[in-house]
PDB file of all heavy atoms in Angstrom:
ATOM      1  N   ARG P   5      -2.031   6.170  -0.416  1.00 85.00           N
ATOM      2  CA  ARG P   5      -3.293   5.531  -0.211  1.00 85.00           C
ATOM      3  C   ARG P   5      -3.629   5.352   1.306  1.00 85.00           C
ATOM      4  O   ARG P   5      -4.749   5.475   1.771  1.00 85.00           O
ATOM      5  CB  ARG P   5      -3.192   4.085  -0.896  1.00 85.00           C
ATOM      6  CG  ARG P   5      -3.433   4.269  -2.399  1.00 85.00           C
ATOM      7  CD  ARG P   5      -3.578   2.919  -3.088  1.00 85.00           C
ATOM      8  NE  ARG P   5      -4.797   2.301  -2.534  1.00 85.00           N
ATOM      9  CZ  ARG P   5      -5.008   1.061  -2.793  1.00 85.00           C
ATOM     10  NH1 ARG P   5      -4.224   0.281  -3.555  1.00 85.00           N
ATOM     11  NH2 ARG P   5      -6.064   0.326  -2.370  1.00 85.00           N
ATOM     12  N   ARG P   6      -2.483   5.024   2.020  1.00 83.00           N
ATOM     13  CA  ARG P   6      -2.758   4.978   3.491  1.00 83.00           C
ATOM     14  C   ARG P   6      -3.229   6.279   4.169  1.00 83.00           C
ATOM     15  O   ARG P   6      -4.147   6.195   4.914  1.00 83.00           O
ATOM     16  CB  ARG P   6      -1.308   4.567   4.143  1.00 83.00           C
ATOM     17  CG  ARG P   6      -1.578   3.564   5.229  1.00 83.00           C
ATOM     18  CD  ARG P   6      -0.226   3.091   5.797  1.00 83.00           C
ATOM     19  NE  ARG P   6       0.497   2.247   4.905  1.00 83.00           N
ATOM     20  CZ  ARG P   6       1.896   2.111   5.008  1.00 83.00           C
ATOM     21  NH1 ARG P   6       2.606   2.824   5.822  1.00 83.00           N
ATOM     22  NH2 ARG P   6       2.488   1.262   4.169  1.00 83.00           N
ATOM     23  N   ALA P   7      -2.703   7.316   3.631  1.00 85.00           N
ATOM     24  CA  ALA P   7      -3.086   8.661   4.137  1.00 85.00           C
ATOM     25  C   ALA P   7      -4.575   8.840   3.906  1.00 85.00           C
ATOM     26  O   ALA P   7      -5.393   9.358   4.766  1.00 85.00           O
ATOM     27  CB  ALA P   7      -2.317   9.735   3.594  1.00 85.00           C
ATOM     28  N   ILE P   8      -5.012   8.562   2.640  1.00 87.00           N
ATOM     29  CA  ILE P   8      -6.386   8.769   2.272  1.00 87.00           C
ATOM     30  C   ILE P   8      -7.257   7.830   3.175  1.00 87.00           C
ATOM     31  O   ILE P   8      -8.336   8.292   3.768  1.00 87.00           O
ATOM     32  CB  ILE P   8      -6.659   8.398   0.816  1.00 87.00           C
ATOM     33  CG1 ILE P   8      -5.959   9.524  -0.048  1.00 87.00           C
ATOM     34  CG2 ILE P   8      -8.117   8.289   0.505  1.00 87.00           C
ATOM     35  CD1 ILE P   8      -5.941   9.143  -1.485  1.00 87.00           C
ATOM     36  N   MET P   9      -6.842   6.600   3.447  1.00 87.00           N
ATOM     37  CA  MET P   9      -7.587   5.666   4.184  1.00 87.00           C
ATOM     38  C   MET P   9      -7.838   6.207   5.638  1.00 87.00           C
ATOM     39  O   MET P   9      -8.957   6.297   6.144  1.00 87.00           O
ATOM     40  CB  MET P   9      -6.900   4.381   4.241  1.00 87.00           C
ATOM     41  CG  MET P   9      -7.813   3.175   4.852  1.00 87.00           C
ATOM     42  SD  MET P   9      -6.818   1.685   5.133  1.00 87.00           S
ATOM     43  CE  MET P   9      -6.011   2.079   6.663  1.00 87.00           C
ATOM     44  N   TRP P  10      -6.738   6.653   6.269  1.00 86.00           N
ATOM     45  CA  TRP P  10      -6.794   7.105   7.576  1.00 86.00           C
ATOM     46  C   TRP P  10      -7.617   8.369   7.699  1.00 86.00           C
ATOM     47  O   TRP P  10      -8.417   8.583   8.600  1.00 86.00           O
ATOM     48  CB  TRP P  10      -5.410   7.316   8.257  1.00 86.00           C
ATOM     49  CG  TRP P  10      -4.679   6.009   8.580  1.00 86.00           C
ATOM     50  CD1 TRP P  10      -3.445   5.651   8.021  1.00 86.00           C
ATOM     51  CD2 TRP P  10      -5.118   5.024   9.419  1.00 86.00           C
ATOM     52  NE1 TRP P  10      -3.131   4.474   8.538  1.00 86.00           N
ATOM     53  CE2 TRP P  10      -4.129   3.973   9.352  1.00 86.00           C
ATOM     54  CE3 TRP P  10      -6.265   4.725  10.139  1.00 86.00           C
ATOM     55  CZ2 TRP P  10      -4.267   2.818  10.123  1.00 86.00           C
ATOM     56  CZ3 TRP P  10      -6.365   3.612  10.881  1.00 86.00           C
ATOM     57  CH2 TRP P  10      -5.336   2.606  10.813  1.00 86.00           C
ATOM     58  N   SER P  11      -7.504   9.271   6.728  1.00 87.00           N
ATOM     59  CA  SER P  11      -8.326  10.549   6.877  1.00 87.00           C
ATOM     60  C   SER P  11      -9.831  10.200   6.703  1.00 87.00           C
ATOM     61  O   SER P  11     -10.694  10.743   7.368  1.00 87.00           O
ATOM     62  CB  SER P  11      -7.839  11.643   5.919  1.00 87.00           C
ATOM     63  OG  SER P  11      -7.139  11.126   4.834  1.00 87.00           O
ATOM     64  N   THR P  12     -10.111   9.294   5.817  1.00 90.00           N
ATOM     65  CA  THR P  12     -11.517   8.842   5.621  1.00 90.00           C
ATOM     66  C   THR P  12     -12.036   8.265   6.927  1.00 90.00           C
ATOM     67  O   THR P  12     -13.144   8.671   7.401  1.00 90.00           O
ATOM     68  CB  THR P  12     -11.621   7.830   4.548  1.00 90.00           C
ATOM     69  OG1 THR P  12     -10.917   8.257   3.340  1.00 90.00           O
ATOM     70  CG2 THR P  12     -13.032   7.566   4.144  1.00 90.00           C
ATOM     71  N   LEU P  13     -11.247   7.435   7.549  1.00 88.00           N
ATOM     72  CA  LEU P  13     -11.692   6.747   8.837  1.00 88.00           C
ATOM     73  C   LEU P  13     -11.910   7.831   9.879  1.00 88.00           C
ATOM     74  O   LEU P  13     -12.845   7.771  10.647  1.00 88.00           O
ATOM     75  CB  LEU P  13     -10.636   5.728   9.172  1.00 88.00           C
ATOM     76  CG  LEU P  13     -11.109   4.711  10.102  1.00 88.00           C
ATOM     77  CD1 LEU P  13     -12.274   3.833   9.547  1.00 88.00           C
ATOM     78  CD2 LEU P  13     -10.016   3.686  10.532  1.00 88.00           C
ATOM     79  N   GLY P  14     -11.045   8.829   9.908  1.00 87.00           N
ATOM     80  CA  GLY P  14     -11.133   9.840  10.929  1.00 87.00           C
ATOM     81  C   GLY P  14     -12.436  10.606  10.643  1.00 87.00           C
ATOM     82  O   GLY P  14     -13.208  10.823  11.723  1.00 87.00           O
ATOM     83  N   VAL P  15     -12.733  11.006   9.525  1.00 89.00           N
ATOM     84  CA  VAL P  15     -13.969  11.705   9.187  1.00 89.00           C
ATOM     85  C   VAL P  15     -15.240  10.861   9.565  1.00 89.00           C
ATOM     86  O   VAL P  15     -16.190  11.329  10.187  1.00 89.00           O
ATOM     87  CB  VAL P  15     -14.044  12.131   7.650  1.00 89.00           C
ATOM     88  CG1 VAL P  15     -15.361  12.722   7.329  1.00 89.00           C
ATOM     89  CG2 VAL P  15     -12.983  13.170   7.412  1.00 89.00           C
ATOM     90  N   VAL P  16     -15.200   9.594   9.190  1.00 89.00           N
ATOM     91  CA  VAL P  16     -16.270   8.799   9.436  1.00 89.00           C
ATOM     92  C   VAL P  16     -16.483   8.560  10.971  1.00 89.00           C
ATOM     93  O   VAL P  16     -17.597   8.635  11.459  1.00 89.00           O
ATOM     94  CB  VAL P  16     -16.092   7.286   8.810  1.00 89.00           C
ATOM     95  CG1 VAL P  16     -17.094   6.279   9.427  1.00 89.00           C
ATOM     96  CG2 VAL P  16     -16.155   7.429   7.405  1.00 89.00           C
ATOM     97  N   GLY P  17     -15.415   8.458  11.753  1.00 87.00           N
ATOM     98  CA  GLY P  17     -15.512   8.386  13.144  1.00 87.00           C
ATOM     99  C   GLY P  17     -16.156   9.635  13.790  1.00 87.00           C
ATOM    100  O   GLY P  17     -17.057   9.534  14.659  1.00 87.00           O
ATOM    101  N   VAL P  18     -15.715  10.838  13.400  1.00 88.00           N
ATOM    102  CA  VAL P  18     -16.385  11.975  13.906  1.00 88.00           C
ATOM    103  C   VAL P  18     -17.813  12.017  13.488  1.00 88.00           C
ATOM    104  O   VAL P  18     -18.676  12.413  14.293  1.00 88.00           O
ATOM    105  CB  VAL P  18     -15.626  13.273  13.334  1.00 88.00           C
ATOM    106  CG1 VAL P  18     -16.387  14.522  13.737  1.00 88.00           C
ATOM    107  CG2 VAL P  18     -14.223  13.346  13.903  1.00 88.00           C
ATOM    108  N   ALA P  19     -18.159  11.651  12.273  1.00 89.00           N
ATOM    109  CA  ALA P  19     -19.462  11.672  11.776  1.00 89.00           C
ATOM    110  C   ALA P  19     -20.368  10.832  12.553  1.00 89.00           C
ATOM    111  O   ALA P  19     -21.484  11.234  12.941  1.00 89.00           O
ATOM    112  CB  ALA P  19     -19.533  11.313  10.321  1.00 89.00           C
TER     113      ALA P  19
ATOM    114  N   VAL D 254     -12.165   6.085  17.118  1.00 87.00           N
ATOM    115  CA  VAL D 254     -11.798   5.732  15.761  1.00 87.00           C
ATOM    116  C   VAL D 254     -11.127   6.931  15.093  1.00 87.00           C
ATOM    117  O   VAL D 254     -10.051   6.831  14.462  1.00 87.00           O
ATOM    118  CB  VAL D 254     -12.960   5.252  14.944  1.00 87.00           C
ATOM    119  CG1 VAL D 254     -12.623   5.102  13.513  1.00 87.00           C
ATOM    120  CG2 VAL D 254     -13.462   3.869  15.524  1.00 87.00           C
ATOM    121  N   ALA D 255     -11.746   8.131  15.248  1.00 86.00           N
ATOM    122  CA  ALA D 255     -11.240   9.288  14.535  1.00 86.00           C
ATOM    123  C   ALA D 255      -9.895   9.703  15.195  1.00 86.00           C
ATOM    124  O   ALA D 255      -8.930  10.019  14.422  1.00 86.00           O
ATOM    125  CB  ALA D 255     -12.166  10.487  14.857  1.00 86.00           C
ATOM    126  N   ALA D 258      -7.274   7.300  13.902  1.00 86.00           N
ATOM    127  CA  ALA D 258      -7.031   7.618  12.412  1.00 86.00           C
ATOM    128  C   ALA D 258      -6.167   8.768  12.298  1.00 86.00           C
ATOM    129  O   ALA D 258      -5.239   8.888  11.442  1.00 86.00           O
ATOM    130  CB  ALA D 258      -8.375   7.830  11.720  1.00 86.00           C
ATOM    131  N   LEU D 262      -2.580   8.951  10.604  1.00 83.00           N
ATOM    132  CA  LEU D 262      -2.384   9.741   9.531  1.00 83.00           C
ATOM    133  C   LEU D 262      -1.072  10.657   9.649  1.00 83.00           C
ATOM    134  O   LEU D 262      -0.286  10.821   8.697  1.00 83.00           O
ATOM    135  CB  LEU D 262      -3.599  10.813   9.367  1.00 83.00           C
ATOM    136  CG  LEU D 262      -3.726  11.725   8.218  1.00 83.00           C
ATOM    137  CD1 LEU D 262      -3.736  10.888   6.880  1.00 83.00           C
ATOM    138  CD2 LEU D 262      -4.955  12.553   8.319  1.00 83.00           C
TER     139      LEU D 262
END
Side-chain angles (χ1 to χ4, degrees):
Chain P
R5 283 190 60 188
R6 218 178 286 157
I8 291 172
M9 190 189 82
W10 287 123
S11 21
T12 309
L13 201 57
V15 170
V16 168
V18 170
Chain D
V254 168
L262 188 60

